[in-house]
Amino acid sequence: MGLDPDVVHLDGKSPKDCYKVLNEYLNKSKIEGTNKTSPYSRVVLKWDMPILKHGVVLVDSPGLNDDQNLDEVVRNYIPQAIAMICIISCTSGVTQSAKKLIVSAMKQEHFDPAALMFVCSKIDLIDKKEKKPVLKQIRQTWKDIIRCEPAMFQLNTRGALKTLSKYKFQTPDLKTFNAALNRFLAESYRFKLQRYFEKFWTSSSHIGLVLR
């Protein structure tokens, strides 16, 4: 039997206070003083944002390896997702848990590797001489796994956020990423709809044959 959800109202709270409240749920992987895992498998935020007014749902997964149960939640959600955006830290490279997740996704029926986008973050923390080799290694790793050229972008997230907040201006890498993201989501959505229609048509054809 499932537990009744906790409802927390954040209206009027500052961003700092909102983060503090949510952090109590997001980082509670273990119940203090016991060996039991936290009863919270997800946190649902209802936010008044233009992009969310047309049925769009954004799902931010927990960090892989933080909790095995949460890893399972992420894997089980993959079939419902229209697209996946994997954030890879350039300082640590492609982790084994990230590889395992994508390999798992590739084994699922009708999963399209074109619905994957890889974002290399913390690129600003890599020495200039090491950037190309690091990015090349990350690209090759994903190419070997998904067996096609990965859609991969580098993004200095901290610098982009700082520039956007202070000057209301998008850095070149953020502008490139946003343009690619719009195309990527539209194409992934069309592919998902196509798969649903194909499945529906196949099922309808079988039903028609049985009725005859």
Side-chain angles (χ1 to χ4, degrees), residues 171-184:
T171 56
D173 57 349
L174 179 59
K175 187 177 293 186
T176 299
F177 170 71
N178 281 336
L181 181 62
N182 288 332
R183 296 191 300 270
F184 168 71

Side-chain angles (χ1 to χ4, degrees), residues 53-98:
K53 291 182 179 180
H54 303 287
V56 176
V57 178
L58 303 177
V59 180
D60 182 24
S61 70
L64 297 175
N65 278 341
D66 284 351
D67 187 289
Q68 288 186 356
N69 290 334
L70 293 180
D71 287 358
E72 190 65 25
V73 169
V74 175
R75 283 192 289 272
N76 290 338
Y77 191 85
I78 291 176
Q80 303 176 51
I82 291 175
M84 290 177 61
I85 302 175
C86 303
I87 312 297
I88 307 298
S89 170
C90 288
T91 57
S92 57
V94 182
T95 62
Q96 290 299 319
S97 54

Side-chain angles (χ1 to χ4, degrees), residues 26-157:
L26 296 173
N27 289 332
K28 191 179 290 185
S29 60
K30 292 282 186 179
I31 299 177
E32 291 80 353
T34 72
N35 291 323
K36 298 179 180 178
T37 56
S38 170
Y40 304 108
S41 62
R42 62 178 176 172
V43 173
V44 179
L45 295 178
K46 296 186 177 181
W47 211 284
D48 186 19
M49 296 175 64
I51 193 175
L52 302 180
K53 291 182 179 180
H54 303 287
V56 176
V57 178
L58 303 177
V59 180
D60 182 24
S61 70
L64 297 175
N65 278 341
D66 284 351
D67 187 289
Q68 288 186 356
N69 290 334
L70 293 180
D71 287 358
E72 190 65 25
V73 169
V74 175
R75 283 192 289 272
N76 290 338
Y77 191 85
I78 291 176
Q80 303 176 51
I82 291 175
M84 290 177 61
I85 302 175
C86 303
I87 312 297
I88 307 298
S89 170
C90 288
T91 57
S92 57
V94 182
T95 62
Q96 290 299 319
S97 54
K99 290 181 183 178
K100 185 178 179 180
L101 177 66
I102 301 304
V103 168
S104 175
M106 292 288 293
K107 292 179 180 178
Q108 295 188 14
E109 186 179 10
H110 300 316
F111 183 82
D112 182 15
L116 283 168
M117 175 182 277
F118 302 96
V119 179
C120 300
S121 67
K122 299 184 179 179
I123 188 67
D124 54 305
L125 301 181
I126 302 296
D127 186 86
K128 289 183 178 181
K129 295 181 180 180
E130 296 297 324
K131 283 185 180 181
K132 283 187 177 181
V134 167
L135 292 172
K136 183 178 180 180
Q137 179 62 44
I138 294 175
R139 178 178 293 278
Q140 188 60 51
T141 298
W142 288 127
K143 187 175 180 178
D144 292 341
I145 292 174
I146 67 176
R147 299 184 293 278
C148 66
E149 196 66 36
M152 198 175 89
F153 299 86
Q154 59 186 44
L155 182 62
N156 176 2
T157 51

Side-chain angles (χ1 to χ4, degrees), residues 190-208:
R190 282 195 294 269
F191 177 81
K192 195 78 170 182
L193 282 178
Q194 181 182 344
R195 287 299 187 187
Y196 278 131
F197 280 122
E198 288 175 354
K199 188 175 182 180
F200 173 76
W201 180 259
T202 301
S203 298
S204 300
S205 299
H206 285 315
I207 292 174

